[in-house]
Amino acid sequence: MTTRTRILTGITTTGTPHLGNYAGAIRPAILASRDSNADSFYFLADYHALIKCDDPLRIQRSRLEIAATWLAGGLDVDRVTFYRQSDIPEIPELTWLLTCVAAKGLLNRAHAYKASVDKNVEAGEDPDAGVTMGLYSYPILMAADILMFNAHKVPVGRDQIQHVEMARDIGQRFNHLFGQGKEYFTMPEALIEESVATLPGLDGRKMSKSYDNTIPLFSSAKDMKDAISRIVTDSRAPGEAKDPDNSHLFTLFQAFATAEQSAEFRSELLQGLGWGEAKSRLFQLLDDQLGEARERYHQFIERPSDLEDILQLGAKKARAVATPFLNELREAVGLRSFVSQVQVTTQTKKKAAKAARFVSFRDEDGSFRFRLLSADGEQLLLSNNFADGKTAGQVSKQLQSGQPLDVRSEDLGFGVWLDGACVAQSPAFADNAARDAAIDALRVALTPAQD
């Protein structure tokens, strides 16, 4: 049976999606989700959004718009697990468990934190001015997102590779401290898509909200047409040959057209197609491809209860994985029910009562000695006198180390020898049979228990 690869994708919930977001991230991710060998998890990273945004209305609106965008774009919630990060209470709890094992030195090296510190130092400010614990511990929350679902692959941009590596480091640390031979966390790998489309904006720079040069994805057809009309072009008039290879407009067209459509459009530009008509062709292409999705998007926006139902079902699927797993992790770190703890303690005590045990004591002359008592409380051995407790303890530990015993019969008793010297002796027994039975009991008592 082939193991499905679990892929986890976090979706930032700030801002309204634009055409560049769709071509560069949303469309390829939705296509990837249809791979039958992939077990895909997609989540709205709304806890992360709180790090950068303190406007509640913007957070709420962005979550709504981004959820509607992915669903309208064709994400099949029957094939994938689609949920809001904030609907999974196990994630912040896991974040704390991981915080308790994450090294501060590791977090000091996080790119976002270092960039903030460097900026403050350059400005002559306190190094940590304006740095919140949200920003500082962001990598731990991201690690919890990834490790909670034991994702094998995490699609990220190059600026996020470090965070996936940090998730590995933190997960390995937890496994080492609490695993006791069990690997609770799978080590994730960053999945870098080398061919991610980067679309130019209206002014030719990378399409970005920070440049205010975006083309809206699912706003009205009129808004899209108005935005396209503002694409910067050169001054060549209709009838003059255009240069498709240096045209932002052609790059945008090519990102959504078939090879045949691109070739035809290229030819027309070379033959002198006017920029006004070229923009009209681009709008028509985008409207044809995105029109139905736009309608679905607005239906979701107008009926947020439908979105809520979908996300709650997604949260239920996600928690079916997260809840039992977190219970395992709680057990691993010692956050257990008192009832189970009492049961474990009782069982341990019962086992201890049936086992042989060493008892150390100080003799009247001030020397140190130990006894070995059988499971029934019968004295099997009494050590020689030792000048100090450390030596007596070392001898006792050596007898319990599991190494072969040098037991020598002495009339109706026996002695135990270490390094050529007798270190402990038994009492005298009634007969040889009783002595031999005691020797057998001694060997059993000093044989390490097998799991």
Side-chain angles (χ1 to χ4, degrees):
M1 181 177 178
T2 303
T3 302
R4 298 173 72 197
T5 300
R6 180 165 289 178
I7 301 175
L8 182 135
T9 300
I11 304 164
T12 303
T13 56
T14 50
T16 302
H18 54 71
L19 209 62
N21 300 141
Y22 180 74
I26 300 172
R27 182 174 63 181
I30 291 174
L31 290 174
S33 73
R34 296 168 186 165
D35 182 353
S36 60
N37 292 321
D39 180 19
S40 299
F41 282 61
Y42 294 87
F43 70 94
L44 302 176
D46 47 0
Y47 278 140
H48 289 292
L50 298 177
I51 297 170
K52 298 179 180 179
C53 181
D54 58 6
D55 181 347
L57 293 179
R58 183 183 172 196
I59 292 286
Q60 173 68 3
R61 182 67 185 178
S62 183
R63 293 157 86 228
L64 179 71
E65 291 176 342
I66 289 170
T69 296
W70 280 74
L71 293 172
L75 188 67
D76 185 351
V77 294
D78 292 328
R79 296 178 64 98
V80 306
T81 303
F82 182 53
Y83 59 96
R84 273 181 305 223
Q85 184 186 36
S86 59
D87 285 333
I88 316 299
E90 292 80 5
I91 288 175
E93 184 167 353
L94 177 57
T95 299
W96 182 249
L97 298 186
L98 298 180
T99 298
C100 292
V101 302
K104 180 176 181 290
L106 181 68
L107 298 179
N108 287 343
R109 296 191 292 273
H111 296 326
Y113 172 65
K114 286 178 66 179
S116 295
V117 170
D118 291 344
K119 184 178 179 181
N120 285 334
V121 171
E122 288 177 10
E125 300 279 351
D126 181 272
D128 286 325
V131 176
T132 66
M133 285 305 298
L135 172 65
Y136 183 73
S137 59
Y138 169 96
I140 306 178
L141 177 57
M142 185 167 170
D145 292 326
I146 297 167
L147 298 175
M148 174 59 75
F149 298 104
N150 278 321
H152 301 104
K153 305 283 186 180
V154 185
V156 291
R158 292 197 172 277
D159 61 331
Q160 292 286 324
I161 293 175
Q162 185 197 41
H163 289 143
V164 178
E165 293 174 344
M166 293 172 84
R168 291 173 62 91
D169 291 340
I170 296 169
Q172 285 175 335
R173 177 66 174 163
F174 188 98
N175 286 343
H176 173 72
L177 289 174
F178 302 110
Q180 296 184 343
K182 180 175 181 178
E183 297 292 312
Y184 284 105
F185 296 125
T186 298
M187 295 299 102
E189 295 182 14
L191 185 62
I192 307 299
E193 179 56 66
E194 298 292 353
S195 59
V196 169
T198 301
L199 296 190
L202 304 179
D203 56 3
R205 292 181 294 178
K206 175 185 175 181
M207 191 177 294
S208 171
K209 291 183 285 289
S210 60
Y211 294 148
D212 193 25
N213 66 351
T214 63
I215 297 175
L217 178 59
F218 288 145
S219 60
S220 68
K222 181 180 182 302
D223 287 343
M224 177 179 282
K225 191 170 187 176
D226 288 346
I228 290 172
S229 70
R230 298 197 302 274
I231 294 175
V232 175
T233 56
D234 61 33
S235 59
R236 298 181 195 185
E240 291 185 72
K242 312 299 187 295
D243 181 4
D245 295 328
N246 289 306
S247 166
H248 321 316
L249 193 152
F250 180 72
T251 301
L252 287 165
F253 188 95
Q254 198 172 29
F256 290 87
T258 64
E260 184 179 0
Q261 288 172 322
S262 293
E264 182 181 351
F265 191 53
R266 180 188 184 87
S267 176
E268 289 181 307
L269 287 172
L270 290 171
Q271 293 172 27
L273 181 69
W275 287 125
E277 179 60 25
K279 292 177 181 179
S280 179
R281 297 275 186 92
L282 174 59
F283 166 74
Q284 195 59 54
L285 174 71
L286 294 175
D287 194 52
D288 289 345
Q289 287 202 18
L290 301 174
E292 290 185 14
R294 184 193 301 127
E295 288 184 18
R296 291 194 296 270
Y297 171 83
H298 286 289
Q299 288 171 1
F300 280 124
I301 294 295
E302 291 165 8
R303 300 184 61 179
S305 60
D306 291 350
L307 271 179
E308 186 66 27
D309 290 343
I310 291 169
L311 288 167
Q312 288 301 323
L313 286 173
K316 186 176 180 180
K317 287 170 65 176
R319 294 197 69 197
V321 177
T323 302
F325 185 43
L326 185 66
N327 287 338
E328 283 188 62
L329 301 177
R330 288 172 62 91
E331 285 279 330
V333 302
L335 302 180
R336 303 166 184 151
S337 162
F338 286 153
V339 175
S340 63
Q341 183 175 339
V342 169
Q343 291 174 343
V344 170
T345 303
T346 302
Q347 291 171 0
T348 302
K349 286 182 178 178
K350 287 180 180 178
K351 290 179 181 178
K354 295 179 181 179
R357 63 190 187 279
F358 281 86
V359 178
S360 299
F361 64 97
R362 194 166 187 175
D363 219 336
E364 293 179 357
D365 62 2
S367 63
F368 294 85
R369 306 179 78 177
F370 60 81
R371 293 187 179 94
L372 174 61
L373 303 180
S374 70
D376 298 328
E378 179 183 1
Q379 182 170 296
L380 296 177
L381 282 179
L382 176 64
S383 75
N384 296 344
N385 301 79
F386 297 95
D388 58 85
K390 181 178 180 181
T391 303
Q394 288 173 340
V395 172
S396 172
K397 287 182 179 179
Q398 198 168 348
L399 292 180
Q400 299 174 71
S401 67
Q403 68 181 30
L405 290 175
D406 181 2
V407 180
R408 303 180 187 181
S409 299
E410 300 170 354
D411 295 326
L412 294 179
F414 59 85
V416 176
W417 294 62
L418 289 176
D419 301 325
C422 183
V423 295
Q425 294 178 310
S426 74
F429 295 94
D431 50 43
N432 290 341
R435 180 199 62 199
D436 293 342
I439 291 174
D440 290 339
L442 173 69
R443 294 187 186 281
V444 171
L446 296 181
T447 299
Q450 300 296 317
D451 294 331

